Amino acid sequence: MTTSKQQITFNRRSFIKTTALASGGMLIGFNLFQACKEGVVPPVDISQLNFNDFNAFIKISDEGKVTIFSPNPEIGQGVKTSMPMLIAEELDVKWEDVYVEQGKLDTKNYTRQVAGGSQSIRFSWEPLRQTGATAKQMLINAAAIRWGVEASSCSAKQGVITNSNGDVLGYGDVVKEAALLEVPEKVILKKPEAFTIIGKGQSNVDIDKIITGKPLFGLDYKEEGMVYASILRPPAFGQKLESYDDTAARAMPGVLDVITIGEKLRQYKDNKKKSWTAQLVDSDKIVVIGKSTWDALKGVKAIKASWVTDSDLESTADHDRILFELLDGKKTFTTKRSDGDVKKAFDEADKVLERTYEAPFLPHNCMEPMNFFANVTAEKVHLVGPIQTPEETAKVVADLLERDLNQVEIEMTRMGGGFGRRLYSDFVLEAAEISNAIQKPVKMVSSREGDMTTGVYRPSVKYKIAASIKDGKVTGYHLKEACINGGMYNLIPNFFPAGAIANYQVDTVSYKSNITTGAWRAPYTNFLASAEQSFFDELAEALGVDRIKLHLDLLQNVKGTTDERIQYSPERLEGVIKLAVEKSNWGQPKAGVYKGFSVYYCHNTHVAEVAEVAMEDNMPVVKRVVCAVDCGIVVNPLGALNQVKGGVIDGVGHALYGDFSFKDGVPQFNNFNTYQLIRMAQTPEVEAYFVESDLAPTGLGEPTLPPVGAAVANAIYAATGNRVYKQPYLNNMKVEQNILG
């Protein structure tokens, strides 16, 4: 963490400097550990400069303008704006003189070119600031040499260097000399109180292009001679292609060809270690090649295909039965953490409270359906589109096509939604195999129906939570998880209430399904927080204690702990609890308004939320959510506010409405006319409050989603007297009460 002015030793290998450009200016490369992306059109013609050897660097022009190239994907989380702010702050330039451009995948110079896990700013906080500070010091050194003075007698501010005699030079005046100097071994970073860009709200650097419809997204990308492809995949998980009749499709005027793909995908899966991003379906797929997206989509609808059942055709009823059986011990659990003696605590208890919580599969429902451009030639594999894992995807494509990795070139576009779906490369592999087969540049575009019914889903999960009570105190806590295809990140064991209850155990068990599952916004915690914090609300009631006091008392048990497994800070959780209570007027009743509380830690950030519900036509309606966040230093308050509100609204919508089921392997929803996302008229007012901090930033794209489900559930209980244990809540208001042990 960076809380004060400090001397930093810079890793020279992560700081690449070139000599002066023939056209003037200096190039400085830096190693980004996380995300960022493209920018606005600068007043200088940067297209004439040679940037081919870099994909993430600073360009300082003779005019003093700064262009920052960043290599990581932008999925709406705002890192394309906030990450350049870190560099500009330490470089000490005016924000209006900074321009941002998107770089390509470059595995030689950069690591972790990934958009995921809400880790972009956290991982890049010091490296990017070091980059800016190092560039500034080089410019100061160049000015000092010209003046014949010590560099220590010079300072820089807003792109202007000044010495003790009052002489001034702009960055552009000395940029050529600076490009010839050695990279400083050590630099000084600013104290937080000296920030002039960090902590000030800045508009999205792409906002003008977004609102005027300029090409930014994968669907916008075009190349000369490009054709379009749409794919007919098995309608049910567990089926394979048997035969098909493409006569009607081929007769359509815009259809160019009909082919099948799948052989290379099967060879890759059989002969290589399958990447976690691949998520392959074991079936041939029918591809319609068209002159336009519309031609290809219409052609797919004209195909008559026969499918054969290859494995079990699973239904939601099957999953429910299997998960309940697993929770009851049909299969051995894996213990993730065990403190004390839970069995003894339960045996000696005066009372045991046990509840079961259920969540369905969920699709990602990105507004921009899956798509990708591919042009496979003898020289290279050129790929362009929206992907969260470009480096891993390049490796998989190279293996798939049996090409050298250095022949695979990926350009990243802005994404119309990711939420974890674009961590997976299946749609990129499809585009690559199609281009390889037809030997043409092709844009693969999924229909909304194809995207929703053949995707990668959040797995269905059930939690059984039990607590033992002795002499009015919580003495034991036992969490059991039964999940389709298991969890991904093993985050459960060391979050609250780990460490707060002496006898504490977390067990997991899973069922292997042929339905593809994966990360969904705030993986693991997106429903776990709802389950645990709903349980704690009921536990407080069973104990006869105030809900807020129960949390604060338990946190006292964690303060001063030496248990390095504990990932949350009890002090920071306490801070957001008190802030949420204050800002929501928690203890002050208001007629017709019912409140629910929740607090959670995930993705390195502490969040407390209070939801307010009113009854309309005998149904609960979420009117307001107050959200208190401790994410360390807030780099871009405007972007942070958008992230908080987006996460809360997304969480409210899926908790109330999100449902996805299967019948004999077939998804039962295929478009937004039947699958309900939250509508604008249903969105609550969201108030966000940030804890003032000088600690290094943490995640923000995901942490505000998990706790809101429980805040809503607890508010529904306050309004109706009924507990809800199954999402989506509004579809499951009449559920059978669990048995009190």
Side-chain angles (χ1 to χ4, degrees), residues 322-429:
I322 290 168
L323 292 181
F324 276 124
E325 289 175 351
L326 291 176
L327 280 181
D328 290 338
K330 184 177 181 180
K331 183 178 175 182
T332 303
F333 284 91
T334 297
T335 298
K336 297 293 185 179
R337 175 167 175 151
S338 180
D339 298 345
D341 190 335
V342 167
K343 184 179 183 304
K344 182 179 179 182
F346 277 69
D347 287 343
E348 296 176 351
D350 298 328
K351 185 179 184 180
V352 171
L353 181 70
E354 181 178 280
R355 297 290 182 262
T356 300
Y357 301 86
E358 306 174 61
F361 284 91
L362 286 181
H364 294 82
N365 290 323
C366 305
M367 290 306 295
E368 178 190 23
M370 299 306 106
N371 68 91
F372 227 79
F373 168 86
N375 187 15
V376 179
T377 64
E379 293 75 29
K380 69 175 182 178
V381 179
H382 183 210
L383 304 168
V384 184
I387 185 68
Q388 292 178 242
T389 51
E391 182 176 350
E392 187 67 20
T393 296
K395 294 176 183 177
V396 178
V397 171
D399 284 343
L400 175 79
L401 301 181
E402 300 180 278
R403 302 288 289 265
D404 290 335
L405 183 58
N406 59 16
Q407 292 180 308
V408 180
E409 178 184 280
I410 293 185
E411 296 181 47
M412 293 165 282
T413 63
R414 194 178 184 96
M415 300 179 219
F419 314 115
R421 174 63 181 96
R422 287 184 162 101
L423 291 169
Y424 304 98
S425 59
D426 50 296
F427 55 98
V428 186
L429 303 184

Side-chain angles (χ1 to χ4, degrees), residues 2-297:
T2 304
T3 59
S4 61
K5 190 172 182 179
Q6 58 182 285
Q7 201 170 54
I8 300 293
T9 300
F10 199 88
N11 184 346
R12 283 169 164 260
R13 288 179 296 179
S14 64
F15 194 99
I16 308 162
K17 177 175 69 70
T18 71
T19 56
L21 294 172
S23 56
M26 175 172 66
L27 293 177
I28 298 176
F30 52 90
N31 191 331
L32 291 187
F33 296 106
Q34 274 288 84
C36 203
K37 245 181 92 176
E38 54 205 313
V40 296
V41 178
V44 292
D45 186 6
I46 63 173
S47 66
Q48 300 304 310
L49 301 178
N50 179 15
F51 295 143
N52 293 333
D53 293 332
F54 297 83
N55 79 332
F57 49 84
I58 302 171
K59 160 66 170 72
I60 303 175
S61 72
D62 290 340
E63 295 86 355
K65 304 296 181 182
V66 178
T67 302
I68 300 173
F69 284 70
S70 297
N72 285 67
E74 167 65 59
I75 54 175
Q77 78 278 47
V79 293
K80 187 176 176 181
T81 303
S82 54
M83 294 179 76
M85 289 173 65
L86 304 183
I87 298 171
E89 179 68 71
E90 297 291 350
L91 182 60
D92 229 320
V93 292
K94 296 178 181 178
W95 179 245
E96 54 264 35
D97 288 339
V98 175
Y99 307 96
V100 184
E101 294 292 338
Q102 173 68 59
K104 300 178 182 179
L105 173 67
D106 183 349
T107 57
K108 294 181 180 178
N109 294 314
Y110 305 105
T111 61
R112 207 177 188 276
Q113 287 185 270
V114 175
S118 298
Q119 299 297 296
S120 300
I121 295 299
R122 178 172 174 257
F123 274 91
S124 300
W125 172 244
E126 287 196 357
L128 294 191
R129 292 172 61 217
Q130 289 168 355
T131 297
T134 301
K136 180 176 75 172
Q137 189 60 54
M138 292 170 68
L139 292 160
I140 290 173
N141 292 346
I145 292 171
R146 182 184 291 191
W147 286 324
V149 301
E150 292 293 326
S152 59
S153 69
C154 305
S155 61
K157 186 175 182 180
Q158 293 197 326
V160 176
I161 305 164
T162 306
N163 65 23
S164 56
N165 298 322
D167 300 320
V168 297
L169 287 169
Y171 283 0
D173 298 326
V174 294
V175 67
K176 292 180 181 177
E177 295 98 313
L180 301 174
L181 300 180
E182 289 293 320
V183 177
E185 289 286 350
K186 296 180 179 180
V187 294
I188 303 296
L189 299 182
K190 290 183 179 181
K191 295 179 180 179
E193 56 264 32
F195 292 159
T196 59
I197 295 176
I198 294 173
K200 306 297 187 296
Q202 306 294 346
S203 297
N204 188 313
V205 295
D206 280 338
I207 191 64
D208 290 338
K209 291 182 179 180
I210 292 171
I211 63 178
T212 58
K214 296 295 192 304
L216 279 174
F217 299 91
L219 285 174
D220 298 326
Y221 187 82
K222 294 181 176 66
E223 276 198 12
E224 188 70 28
M226 183 180 81
V227 296
Y228 295 81
S230 188
I231 302 174
L232 182 61
R233 305 173 182 90
F237 288 88
Q239 289 184 332
K240 287 185 177 181
L241 179 64
E242 183 177 44
S243 62
Y244 67 97
D245 181 355
D246 60 9
T247 305
R250 288 184 179 276
M252 302 175 92
V255 172
L256 300 173
D257 200 0
V258 179
I259 66 171
T260 60
I261 61 171
E263 181 179 355
K264 283 193 172 295
L265 291 173
R266 287 195 301 277
Q267 290 174 349
Y268 163 73
K269 186 174 181 181
D270 292 342
N271 299 331
K272 304 285 183 180
K273 180 181 178 182
K274 191 180 87 165
S275 166
W276 66 272
T277 70
Q279 293 290 11
L280 306 175
V281 175
D282 290 328
S283 173
D284 284 341
K285 304 169 188 177
I286 306 165
V287 182
V288 176
I289 311 297
K291 294 180 181 179
S292 68
T293 302
W294 183 239
D295 292 328
L297 292 174

Side-chain angles (χ1 to χ4, degrees), residues 445-458:
V445 180
S446 288
S447 66
R448 173 65 60 197
E449 291 82 0
D451 197 29
M452 190 178 289
T453 59
T454 59
V456 178
Y457 307 99
R458 183 191 79 171

Side-chain angles (χ1 to χ4, degrees), residues 380-653:
K380 69 175 182 178
V381 179
H382 183 210
L383 304 168
V384 184
I387 185 68
Q388 292 178 242
T389 51
E391 182 176 350
E392 187 67 20
T393 296
K395 294 176 183 177
V396 178
V397 171
D399 284 343
L400 175 79
L401 301 181
E402 300 180 278
R403 302 288 289 265
D404 290 335
L405 183 58
N406 59 16
Q407 292 180 308
V408 180
E409 178 184 280
I410 293 185
E411 296 181 47
M412 293 165 282
T413 63
R414 194 178 184 96
M415 300 179 219
F419 314 115
R421 174 63 181 96
R422 287 184 162 101
L423 291 169
Y424 304 98
S425 59
D426 50 296
F427 55 98
V428 186
L429 303 184
E430 290 173 340
E433 187 172 5
I434 294 167
S435 178
N436 185 69
I438 66 176
Q439 289 296 292
K440 290 180 182 179
V442 64
K443 168 74 73 65
M444 190 289 293
V445 180
S446 288
S447 66
R448 173 65 60 197
E449 291 82 0
D451 197 29
M452 190 178 289
T453 59
T454 59
V456 178
Y457 307 99
R458 183 191 79 171
S460 178
V461 64
K462 299 187 191 301
Y463 292 109
K464 180 177 287 187
I465 308 177
S468 57
I469 300 170
K470 178 71 173 177
D471 298 329
K473 301 291 184 181
V474 181
T475 58
Y477 186 89
H478 195 181
L479 168 66
K480 294 180 180 179
E481 176 199 69
C483 185
I484 300 295
N485 292 334
M488 294 185 61
Y489 298 107
N490 296 322
L491 294 179
I492 330 176
N494 302 313
F495 293 177
F496 180 82
I501 300 171
N503 303 296
Y504 172 84
Q505 187 167 323
V506 175
D507 294 330
T508 64
V509 65
S510 67
Y511 166 73
K512 179 64 176 174
S513 169
N514 55 32
I515 296 172
T516 51
T517 60
W520 189 92
R521 191 173 188 174
Y524 239 150
T525 60
N526 53 61
F527 179 64
L528 175 61
S530 293
E532 289 199 298
Q533 282 296 298
S534 295
F535 182 79
F536 269 94
D537 194 79
E538 191 167 356
L539 181 60
E541 187 175 55
L543 289 165
V545 300
D546 178 77
R547 291 152 175 77
I548 307 300
K549 187 176 186 302
L550 173 62
H551 284 86
L552 295 177
D553 287 348
L554 288 172
L555 288 173
Q556 302 310 307
N557 299 333
V558 194
K559 291 182 178 180
T561 182
T562 58
D563 186 348
E564 295 182 354
R565 297 172 298 171
I566 301 297
Q567 297 183 29
Y568 64 93
S569 162
E571 292 82 6
R572 296 176 81 171
L573 268 186
E574 184 178 277
V576 293
I577 290 172
K578 292 180 177 179
L579 182 59
V581 166
E582 173 196 347
K583 297 300 183 181
S584 67
N585 297 317
W586 172 258
Q588 302 175 31
K590 184 178 178 182
V593 176
Y594 305 91
K595 299 180 182 180
F597 168 80
S598 177
V599 63
Y600 207 68
Y601 163 91
C602 68
H603 297 84
N604 311 103
T605 292
H606 304 74
V607 178
E609 298 181 5
V610 173
E612 294 182 352
V613 161
M615 297 300 293
E616 296 180 1
D617 297 326
N618 294 319
M619 290 297 290
V621 177
V622 183
K623 293 293 190 178
R624 175 176 177 245
V625 177
V626 176
C627 185
V629 182
D630 186 344
C631 60
I633 293 172
V634 179
V635 175
N636 183 4
L638 181 58
L641 184 62
N642 291 336
Q643 286 292 290
V644 169
K645 290 188 174 183
V648 168
I649 292 170
D650 196 14
V652 170

